[in-house]
């Protein structure tokens, strides 16, 4: 096992750990640990809500999830010799649930969860159809996940970090806050909000304290979206065997990682759409000096996907076009087309006995494939979602005999008051 560089005690909150991580982006958050280029090491990662979501049959915890606390990130890791303009090479050697902790109250201790977030607290990709909070708990059996809340399916997870990032420069941070603040100002009362402004409440900033803590907490960017530094990209293919190249914006790079998923479907469409967990990740870091200019990578991550995804070979695919459910035509709107593809898949699965919410949770958690299939044929973009047929305990394909009706079990818990 590689050296454990960033340990976490599962029995303690994120802020009571031996080494304190962070949940905001800012160039002045001090590094928690330091490595040399070429180093290999292990980091523990806390689940993104720091243990707020429980292994039970209630969704009140999802309804009341403390959005101001996310994400609980391990780091920053300072890389000796890294300077602005370099590319940071990040190799994901291994990633998984908490080792030797196969049961317990913290996600990652033998289980994880998927949540449909309420419109009043984050929302989701399909928020207009699903405005209320729901939850599914998934049990881990080696690399397989099953759920008492979504019976009749089992799938092999593509375990991966939802979030890896370098720190922004002061100039880049100011640009983020300016452009996102301008977007919020166009509709400040919207639910879900258009973006998340800096929020000092519940900020975790490593070893900072006093006036410096207050300043950084007031300026620090939230970690919810992907940005030029990588961030919360939620790319399910960043699994073991992946190599990612991140732009370096500050001295030392100040790399962080978190938001581990046991599995996820393309798009993480329920917002808390992966199977969320605590866990470990083994990394190897190196540098390409001057790599941003050499390769024209100035504001995006480039990656070589891992080579060990589940070997599903048969799929049932659903298409969607850029027309709303009530018939309004949009011009080449690929996001709307993907929403319609997902909704078409959900409607299909209800014919087998699932509730719409169970089907939605399944699409967020299982390793579905999402594709933009046509983006040029005016006026309709076409998107598709591919559902692996092998994850079901029954034949999900259309047939002359009609759909099998499964027992939906206890169903997906719904939070009261949403």
């Amino acid at each position: 096992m590689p050296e454990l560089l960033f340990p976490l005690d599962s029995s303690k909150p994120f802020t009571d750990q031996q080494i304190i991580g962070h949940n905001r982006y800012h160039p002045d958050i001090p590094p928690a640990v330091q490595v040399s280029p070429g180093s290999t090491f292990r980091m523990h990662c806390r689940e993104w809500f720091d243990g707020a979501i429980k292994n039970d049959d209630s969704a009140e915890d999802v309804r009341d999830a403390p959005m101001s606390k996310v994400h609980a990130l391990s780091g920053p890791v300072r890389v000796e010799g890294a300077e602005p303009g370099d590319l940071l090479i990040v190799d994901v050697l291994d990633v998984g649930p908490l080792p030797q902790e196969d049961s317990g109250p913290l996600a990652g201790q033998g289980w994880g969860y998927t949540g449909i977030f309420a419109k009043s607290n984050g929302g989701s990709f399909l928020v207009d159809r699903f405005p209320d909070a729901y939850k599914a708990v998934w049990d881990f059996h080696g690399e397989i996940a099953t759920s008492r809340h979504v019976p009749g399916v089992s799938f092999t997870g593509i375990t991966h970090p939802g979030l890896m990032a370098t720190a922004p420069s002061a100039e880049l941070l100011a640009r983020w806050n300016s452009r996102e603040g301008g977007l919020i100002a166009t509709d400040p009362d919207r639910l879900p909000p258009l973006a998340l402004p800096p929020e000092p409440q519940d900020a975790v900033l490593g070893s900072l304290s006093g006036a410096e803590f207050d300043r950084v907490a007031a300026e620090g960017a939230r970690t919810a979206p992907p940005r030029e530094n990588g961030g919360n990209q939620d790319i399910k293919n960043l699994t073991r065997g992946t190599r990612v190249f991140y732009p370096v914006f500050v001295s030392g790079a100040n790399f962080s990682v978190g938001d581990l998923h046991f599995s996820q479907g393309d798009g993480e469409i329920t917002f808390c759409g992966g199977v969320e967990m605590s866990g470990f990740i083994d990394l190897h870091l190196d540098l390409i000096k001057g790599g941003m200019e050499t390769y024209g990578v100035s504001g995006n991550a480039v990656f070589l996907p891992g080579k060990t995804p589940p070997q599903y070979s048969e799929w049932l695919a659903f298409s969607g076009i850029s027309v709303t459910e009530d018939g309004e035509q949009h011009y080449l709107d690929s996001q709307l087309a993907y929403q319609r593809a997902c909704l078409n898949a959900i409607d299909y699965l209800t014919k087998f006995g699932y509730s719409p919410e169970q089907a939605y949770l399944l699409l967020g958690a299982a390793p579905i494939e999402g594709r933009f299939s046509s983006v040029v044929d005016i006026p309709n973009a076409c998107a598709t979602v591919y559902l692996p047929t092998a994850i079901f305990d029954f034949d999900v394909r259309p047939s002359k005999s009609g759909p099998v009706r499964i027992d939906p079990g206890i169903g997906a818990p719904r939070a009261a008051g949403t």
Side-chain angles (χ1 to χ4, degrees):
M1 184 182 82
E3 175 191 2
L4 179 56
L5 192 67
F6 196 99
L8 292 173
D9 184 337
S10 299
S11 67
K12 296 179 179 180
F14 191 55
T15 51
D16 291 345
Q17 300 292 331
Q18 174 186 346
I19 304 176
I20 306 298
H22 64 106
N23 62 2
R24 303 289 191 269
Y25 293 130
H26 197 286
D28 296 334
I29 297 174
V33 291
Q34 180 168 302
V35 299
S36 301
S39 295
T40 297
F41 53 90
R42 171 168 291 191
M43 300 180 78
H44 288 166
C45 296
R46 188 80 169 174
E47 71 96 358
W48 73 311
F49 273 120
D50 192 23
I53 311 300
K54 308 302 181 185
N55 185 353
D56 58 23
D57 299 327
S58 167
E60 271 72 13
D61 49 6
V62 172
R63 179 197 64 197
D64 302 330
M67 293 297 297
S68 57
K69 288 188 174 183
V70 297
H71 291 80
L73 298 181
S74 297
V77 179
R78 177 180 174 82
V79 182
E80 295 175 3
E83 294 295 338
D86 296 343
L87 284 178
L88 179 66
I89 305 173
V90 179
D91 289 310
V92 179
L93 306 180
D94 200 3
V95 58
L98 291 164
Q100 289 82 50
E101 297 186 32
D102 57 4
S103 65
L106 182 66
Q109 294 180 315
W111 64 280
Y113 65 90
T114 303
I116 299 173
F117 270 56
K119 186 174 183 177
S120 60
N121 191 31
S124 71
F125 186 57
L126 305 177
V127 68
D128 291 336
R129 176 85 76 90
F130 299 93
D132 300 332
Y134 286 82
K135 182 173 74 178
V137 173
W138 302 89
D139 294 312
F140 304 158
H141 313 274
E143 294 184 343
I144 303 296
T146 62
S147 175
R148 63 185 181 272
H149 298 133
V150 188
V153 294
S154 61
F155 52 82
T156 303
I158 308 181
T159 310
H160 62 280
L163 193 159
M164 295 190 287
T166 53
S169 65
E171 294 77 15
L172 183 57
L173 174 63
R175 193 154 69 242
W176 292 350
N177 286 338
S178 175
R179 74 190 186 200
E180 292 172 23
L183 178 62
I184 293 169
T186 65
D187 190 357
D189 299 323
R190 184 181 185 271
L191 285 177
L194 291 169
L196 299 175
E199 172 54 76
Q201 179 180 340
D202 294 322
V204 180
L205 304 173
S207 60
L208 285 181
S209 61
E212 188 70 352
F213 180 98
D214 294 339
R215 178 185 68 83
V216 172
E219 298 172 353
R222 305 289 290 280
T223 60
R227 295 188 181 94
E228 290 89 336
N229 64 331
N232 192 32
Q233 294 183 300
D234 289 311
I235 300 170
K236 75 176 192 298
N237 303 98
L238 299 186
T239 185
R240 59 181 62 87
T242 292
R243 170 169 285 188
V244 194
F245 304 86
Y246 288 106
V248 173
F249 300 105
V250 300
S251 177
N254 286 2
F255 171 81
S256 300
V257 61
D259 189 29
L260 300 189
H261 297 155
F262 186 85
S263 180
Q264 183 202 294
D266 276 341
E268 199 186 24
I269 60 175
T270 66
F271 180 59
C272 175
V275 179
E276 306 284 349
M277 67 175 190
S278 297
F280 76 95
I281 187 166
D282 293 341
L283 299 168
H284 177 271
L285 301 188
D286 213 333
L287 293 171
I288 299 177
K289 300 298 295 180
M292 289 174 65
E293 181 177 357
T294 299
Y295 290 101
V297 178
S298 60
N300 62 287
V302 179
F303 68 97
L304 303 170
K307 299 178 181 179
T308 57
Q311 300 301 310
Y312 293 116
S313 59
E314 296 184 1
W315 310 80
L316 183 62
F318 302 84
S319 62
I321 59 174
S322 48
V323 177
T324 66
E325 287 193 273
D326 58 8
E328 180 183 348
Q329 180 72 59
H330 286 226
Y331 177 76
L332 295 182
D333 187 335
S334 297
Q335 174 161 309
L336 173 58
Y338 191 55
Q339 288 177 327
R340 292 303 307 276
C342 292
L343 288 168
N344 291 338
I346 289 168
D347 290 342
Y348 180 89
L349 290 173
T350 63
K351 300 301 183 181
F352 293 81
Y354 290 115
S355 71
E357 292 77 21
Q358 286 176 309
Y360 188 15
L361 288 160
L362 174 61
L363 294 186
I368 65 169
E369 298 282 345
R371 304 178 187 180
F372 290 155
S373 300
S374 174
V375 294
V376 297
D377 297 317
I378 60 172
N380 281 329
C382 178
T384 46
V385 57
Y386 286 57
L387 189 62
T389 57
I391 70 175
F392 294 92
D393 295 346
F394 53 92
D395 191 348
V396 75
R397 298 171 298 177
S399 68
K400 291 182 179 180
S401 60
V404 175
R405 297 290 296 185
I406 59 103
D407 179 357
I410 64 175
R414 174 182 179 272
T418 58

